């Protein structure tokens, strides 16, 4: 084949694989959102979903590697096309399968966490196995000789990763924002169809061209005899190294995203945008390595050095982040942002300079060089192992499977273990120590040892310099106040920070409420409890400062039981710790010691659906509508679920931060009243506006003793303004599970 035609062929397949990568990430982001309806949005649920996705990829890589040796190069291209078209077929059905069937009809199957995890694995198995098979088949189809193998494979891998970055970016910004969660799935289906059709057409065109590669039988013989493996032990050694590299890569990714969650005050756009930056770095490194890898005389030494350097950089930049003086020019802007209320919402008003600082400059500094080194490691790896075109797909599959196994282990160990046991700082220090293992392995390699000895010493110094948990989270909350209370576990980071005569309550880098009690949260909790004649069973979604939950228990004339659901486990523990300080906020101790209250660490929506209990009051604590997954609590589907969980005459209360939330709430509840400016109470039954009865209840001696005089007066002032709920402007769009407009700041 002429060089021009060969390059054109590779470019066409590269474009197809770019589209395949974009489709894969679009599926992952959208499917993760859909599957979270079944098991909740807590970190444990998300970690299991991600692990299930990756297990399928690993299985597919291994299977595809074996299958690639059973077919000729031309037939492998047909199999790649078949994988893409089969993924498209599954993707076209996935919205109905994951949401309409597995969630709406069979959601009860997920009540057991173990069963839920197995169901996630089963429901993702078909498409992810097919995705994992695609690169081994494509490698078998495209690699013509051993000399160009690493460059060809790295080009395919790099274009696929860059495509994945494009998919991660376009999914929230273009598809979900303007068309809803199923839009990126349909776009991914189209991308798979184009990729598969392109490969199929190319295979048909080449059907009359004499083949230049080995036959399938020759490839299978190579597997049986071990020809071209360069030694089974050597390949196994590279698989072990690549598995350990994958472990570190996924563990670092989780830590970086935890840091970014706080640093940018996360919104619905944050995950996709940061994932795109991460993948772009990896893709750029892989493509750059095409020219670098052939020049290396000792690829194993270079690979080990890359792992050492990326881990050293990750630890050093965290140390710099904490120990840099807060008034350093350029850095002071970030420090001020971390300690303030302000956040820059990616879907809202345009703050170009601020967004560039947060979503380009900061992530590039934090993890740009390490991700480039991760990508650079891939062509180095392929340069070391690829020596036989017939076995190229087999080796790619085995190495990818090993890497993904390491990724799964890193994801689960960090997500389900070390974030709670060691925290972000401790986990990063552990990873830097793992870097010393890479350096020690380098000392065993032929060649000068001085460089790896220097790397080992550098990593040891960086491990010692990694800051402690307290110093890290004080810095990312923009404070040096030693009286602050901070805690991290797998569910998130919570801080209680003193501010004059108050305490600010922070979760995930956002300031949600304050102590002592008072304000909108008191109204949210107490107003519906006063309106309802006898609120015995109460559910509160969100603990925060405890104000909403405590205020909901104001009816001491009724035998109440209040269940509080909260995603962030440290919130309850931090409030308890606050009680041990001198002069804790008034009434906090009474809430935390009240036997009427049950505190559950769970996704409130998911828990309400699963426990089947009925309530007199269901109240959602105030939540900024642009917070990630806030759309799950401001959707028509959620409000309808709440309506099904009400006893006769029961009430649902929410904060209405936008007219779309108002329109959505009123589309569910035919009877609703406004209390104050931003609180609405709804019911399936008529709500009698009865100021006399409300006044008797709010000023009953037991209620005043519980709330206190000032808060009782404040609640009564809001109740006096109660009126039938004002309708949203005609034509106002509503929020749905599959189109959470407010969360993504969808334009009108």
């Amino acid at each position: 084949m002429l060089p021009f035609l060969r390059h054109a062929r590779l470019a066409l397949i590269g474009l197809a694989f770019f589209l395949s990568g974009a489709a894969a990430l679009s599926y992952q982001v959208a499917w993760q959102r859909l599957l979270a309806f079944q098991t909740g949005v807590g970190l444990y649920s998300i970690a299991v979903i991600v692990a299930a996705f990756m297990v399928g990829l690993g299985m597919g890589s291994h299977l595809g590697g074996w299958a690639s040796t059973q077919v000729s190069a031309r037939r492998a291209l047909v199999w790649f096309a078949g994988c893409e078209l089969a993924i498209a077929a599954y993707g076209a059905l996935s919205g109905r399968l994951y949401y309409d069937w597995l969630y709406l009809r069979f959601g009860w199957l997920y009540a057991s966490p173990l069963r839920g995890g197995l169901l996630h694995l089963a429901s993702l198995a078909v498409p992810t196995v097919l995705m994992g098979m695609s690169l081994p088949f494509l490698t078998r189809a495209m690699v013509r000789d051993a000399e160009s193998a690493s460059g060809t494979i790295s080009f395919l891998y790099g274009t696929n990763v860059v495509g994945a970055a494009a998919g991660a970016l376009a999914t929230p910004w273009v598809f979900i924002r303007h068309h809803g969660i199923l839009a990126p799935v349909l776009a991914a289906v189209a991308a798979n169809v184009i990729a598969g059709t392109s490969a199929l057409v190319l295979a048909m065109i080449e059907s009359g061209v004499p083949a230049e590669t080995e036959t399938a039988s020759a490839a299978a013989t190579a597997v049986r005899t071990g020809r071209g493996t360069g030694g089974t032990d050597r390949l196994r050694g590279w698989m072990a190294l690549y598995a350990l590299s994958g472990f570190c890569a996924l563990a670092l990714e989780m830590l970086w995203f935890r840091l970014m969650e706080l640093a940018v005050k996360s919104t619905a756009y944050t995950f996709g945008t940061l994932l795109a930056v991460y993948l772009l770095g990896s893709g750029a490194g892989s493509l750059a390595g095409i020219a670098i890898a052939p020049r290396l005389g000792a690829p194993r030494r270079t690979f080990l050095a890359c792992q050492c350097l990326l881990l050293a950089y990750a630890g050093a930049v965290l140390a710099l982040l904490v120990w840099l003086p807060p008034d350093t020019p350029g850095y002071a802007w970030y420090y001020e942002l971390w300690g303030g209320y302000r956040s820059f919402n990616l879907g809202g008003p345009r703050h170009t300079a601020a967004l560039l600082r947060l979503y380009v400059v900061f992530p590039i500094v934090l993890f740009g060089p390490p991700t480039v080194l991760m990508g650079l490691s891939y062509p180095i790896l392929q340069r070391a192992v690829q020596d036989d075109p017939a076995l190229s797909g087999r080796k790619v599959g085995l190495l990818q499977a090993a890497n993904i196994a390491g990724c799964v282990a890193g994801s689960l160990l960090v997500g389900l273990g070390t974030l709670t046991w060691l925290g972000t700082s401790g986990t990063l220090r552990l990873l830097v120590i793992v870097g010393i293992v890479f350096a020690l392995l380098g000392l065993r390699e032929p060649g000068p040892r001085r460089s790896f000895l220097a790397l080992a010493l550098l990593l040891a110094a960086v491990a010692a310099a990694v800051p402690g948990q307290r110093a890290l989270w004080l810095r990312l909350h923009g404070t040096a106040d030693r009286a602050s209370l901070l805690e991290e576990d797998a569910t998130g980071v919570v801080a209680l920070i003193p501010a004059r005569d108050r305490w600010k309550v922070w979760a995930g880098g956002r300031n949600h409420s304050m102590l002592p009690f008072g304000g909108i949260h008191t109204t949210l909790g107490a107003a519906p409890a006063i309106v309802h004649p006898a609120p015995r069973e109460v559910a509160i979604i969100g603990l925060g400062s405890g104000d909403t939950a405590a205020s909901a228990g104001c009816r001491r004339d009724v035998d109440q039981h209040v269940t509080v659901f909260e995603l962030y486990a440290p919130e309850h523990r931090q409030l308890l710790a606050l009680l041990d300080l001198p002069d804790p906020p008034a009434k906090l101790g009474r809430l935390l010691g009240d036997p009427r209250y049950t505190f559950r660490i769970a996704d409130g929506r998911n828990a309400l659906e699963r426990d089947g209990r009925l309530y007199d009051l269901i109240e959602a604590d105030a939540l900024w509508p642009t917070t990630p997954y806030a759309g799950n609590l401001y959707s028509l589907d959620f409000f309808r679920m709440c309506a099904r969980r009400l006893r006769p005459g029961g009430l649902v209360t929410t904060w209405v931060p936008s007219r779309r939330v108002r329109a959505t709430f009123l589309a569910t509840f035919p009877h609703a009243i406004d209390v104050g400016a931003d609180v609405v109470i709804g019911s399936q039954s008529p709500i009698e506006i009865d100021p006399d009865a409300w006044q008797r209840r709010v000023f009953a001696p037991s209620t005043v003793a519980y709330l206190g005089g000032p808060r009782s007066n404040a609640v009564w002032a809001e109740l006096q303004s109660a009126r039938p709920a004002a309708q949203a402007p005609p034509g106002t769009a509503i929020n749905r599970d599959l189109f959470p407009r407010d969360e993504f700041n969808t334009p009108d």
Side-chain angles (χ1 to χ4, degrees), residues 523-541 548-549 551-555 558 560-565 597 608 613-620 642-643 645-654 669 680-683 687 697:
T523 302
L524 268 172
I530 296 298
V531 170
H532 195 285
R536 292 181 172 82
E537 288 290 336
V538 181
I540 307 292
I541 299 177
T548 300
S551 300
C554 65
R555 294 290 299 278
V558 176
Q560 285 188 296
H561 179 256
V562 183
T563 304
V564 184
F565 303 98
Y597 283 80
L608 283 176
R613 294 173 59 186
L614 299 180
Y615 296 91
D616 297 302
L617 297 181
I618 298 175
E619 306 179 7
C642 289
R645 290 289 177 263
L646 289 178
R647 291 177 168 183
L651 306 176
V652 174
T653 308
T654 190
F669 297 101
V680 62
I681 302 172
S683 178
I687 303 174
R697 293 169 192 160

Side-chain angles (χ1 to χ4, degrees), residues 15 26-27 83 128 191 196 203 244 292 297 411 457 478 597 614 642 657 698:
L15 177 60
S26 294
Y27 285 134
C83 287
T128 55
L244 186 58
I292 297 172
S411 172
L457 293 174
Y597 283 80
L614 299 180
C642 289
V698 79

Side-chain angles (χ1 to χ4, degrees), residues 629-647:
Y629 289 102
N632 289 7
L633 297 181
Y634 288 125
S635 72
L636 182 71
D637 314 84
F638 168 68
F639 291 137
R640 285 177 173 172
M641 184 274 293
C642 289
R644 295 193 299 271
R645 290 289 177 263
L646 289 178
R647 291 177 168 183

Side-chain angles (χ1 to χ4, degrees), residues 70-82 137 140-141 200 203 216:
Q70 310 302 307
V71 296
S72 65
R74 185 181 298 121
R75 181 61 60 181
L77 191 58
V78 174
W79 276 100
F80 166 76
F137 277 131
R140 173 74 176 116
L200 198 58

Side-chain angles (χ1 to χ4, degrees), residues 27 31 34 84-98 100 127 182 184-190 192-193:
Y27 285 134
W31 288 346
L34 293 174
E84 293 297 307
L85 295 174
I87 294 168
Y90 192 96
L93 299 173
S94 63
R96 182 174 294 275
L97 171 65
Y98 291 148
D100 294 350
L182 294 184
V185 174
L186 297 178
V189 169
N192 285 136
V193 170

Side-chain angles (χ1 to χ4, degrees), residues 15-31 34 84-85 87-95 131 163 166-196:
L15 177 60
F17 211 34
F18 173 93
L19 293 174
S20 176
L25 259 292
S26 294
Y27 285 134
Q28 182 177 355
V29 174
W31 288 346
L34 293 174
E84 293 297 307
L85 295 174
I87 294 168
Y90 192 96
L93 299 173
S94 63
M131 290 175 191
L169 194 63
T171 295
W173 275 102
V174 178
F175 298 117
I176 296 181
R177 186 183 191 199
H178 295 287
H179 306 290
I181 293 172
L182 294 184
V185 174
L186 297 178
V189 169
N192 285 136
V193 170
I194 295 171

Side-chain angles (χ1 to χ4, degrees), residues 353-410:
L355 296 181
L356 285 174
R357 286 176 173 179
L358 290 172
Y359 288 94
V360 178
V361 175
F362 191 79
I364 286 177
V365 170
L366 184 64
F367 53 76
T371 56
V372 171
L373 288 170
M374 290 176 188
L376 181 61
S377 300
Y378 191 79
I380 295 170
L381 173 74
Q382 298 301 327
R383 175 75 175 83
V385 302
Q386 294 295 346
D387 53 12
D388 189 338
L391 294 177
S392 56
R394 170 75 166 173
K395 291 179 179 178
V396 164
L398 287 172
L399 289 165
Q400 285 295 107
N403 182 260
I404 291 170
C407 290
V408 172

Side-chain angles (χ1 to χ4, degrees), residues 350-682:
R350 297 180 64 86
H351 300 283
T352 305
L355 296 181
L356 285 174
R357 286 176 173 179
L358 290 172
Y359 288 94
V360 178
V361 175
F362 191 79
I364 286 177
V365 170
L366 184 64
F367 53 76
T371 56
V372 171
L373 288 170
M374 290 176 188
L376 181 61
S377 300
Y378 191 79
I380 295 170
L381 173 74
Q382 298 301 327
R383 175 75 175 83
V385 302
Q386 294 295 346
D387 53 12
D388 189 338
L391 294 177
S392 56
R394 170 75 166 173
K395 291 179 179 178
V396 164
L398 287 172
L399 289 165
Q400 285 295 107
N403 182 260
I404 291 170
C407 290
V408 172
S411 172
L412 292 177
L413 181 62
V414 174
L416 305 183
T418 63
L419 277 178
T420 296
W421 306 331
L422 304 174
T424 295
S425 290
T427 302
L428 185 55
R429 184 178 294 109
L430 178 63
L431 291 175
V432 174
I433 293 172
V434 171
I436 298 176
V437 174
F438 285 114
L440 294 177
L441 291 173
L443 289 173
R444 300 177 59 186
E445 292 296 306
R449 297 185 176 185
R450 186 176 303 172
S451 57
F452 282 103
L453 181 60
L455 286 171
L457 293 174
L458 173 63
L459 286 159
V462 169
V466 170
Q469 285 288 97
R470 185 170 181 79
L472 172 63
W473 298 128
L474 282 173
R475 177 54 58 96
L476 283 177
H477 285 89
T479 183
D481 195 321
R482 295 183 178 277
S484 301
L485 302 175
L486 303 108
E487 185 182 348
E488 177 188 18
D489 71 1
T491 63
V493 180
V494 172
L496 302 182
I497 300 176
R500 297 180 184 174
D501 59 342
R502 292 184 169 271
W503 288 83
K504 295 181 180 179
V505 181
W506 299 73
R510 284 177 175 266
N511 180 221
H512 288 277
S513 52
M514 289 191 178
L515 289 161
F517 300 151
I520 182 68
H521 298 279
T522 295
T523 302
L524 268 172
I530 296 298
V531 170
H532 195 285
R536 292 181 172 82
E537 288 290 336
V538 181
I540 307 292
I541 299 177
L543 175 59
S545 66
D547 192 351
T548 300
S551 300
C554 65
R555 294 290 299 278
R556 303 309 294 265
D557 60 317
V558 176
D559 182 18
Q560 285 188 296
H561 179 256
V562 183
T563 304
V564 184
F565 303 98
E566 174 54 54
L567 274 175
Y568 287 85
E571 280 196 355
H572 186 245
R573 295 194 295 266
Q574 289 296 86
L575 292 176
L576 287 170
L578 188 57
L579 291 180
D580 293 334
L581 300 181
D583 192 25
K587 304 185 184 302
L588 177 61
R590 184 179 60 189
L591 163 68
L592 299 177
D594 195 327
R596 299 178 301 158
Y597 283 80
T598 299
F599 298 94
R600 290 181 56 186
I601 305 304
D603 177 313
R605 168 174 173 159
N606 184 260
L608 283 176
E609 286 185 299
R610 296 289 173 257
D611 66 18
R613 294 173 59 186
L614 299 180
Y615 296 91
D616 297 302
L617 297 181
I618 298 175
E619 306 179 7
D621 201 10
L623 181 68
W624 295 110
T626 53
T627 303
Y629 289 102
N632 289 7
L633 297 181
Y634 288 125
S635 72
L636 182 71
D637 314 84
F638 168 68
F639 291 137
R640 285 177 173 172
M641 184 274 293
C642 289
R644 295 193 299 271
R645 290 289 177 263
L646 289 178
R647 291 177 168 183
L651 306 176
V652 174
T653 308
T654 190
W655 182 45
V656 282
S658 76
R659 52 191 174 80
R660 282 193 287 225
V661 172
R662 175 178 292 276
T664 304
F665 189 85
L666 296 181
T668 305
F669 297 101
H671 308 283
I673 61 173
D674 284 323
V675 178
D678 300 316
V679 175
V680 62
I681 302 172

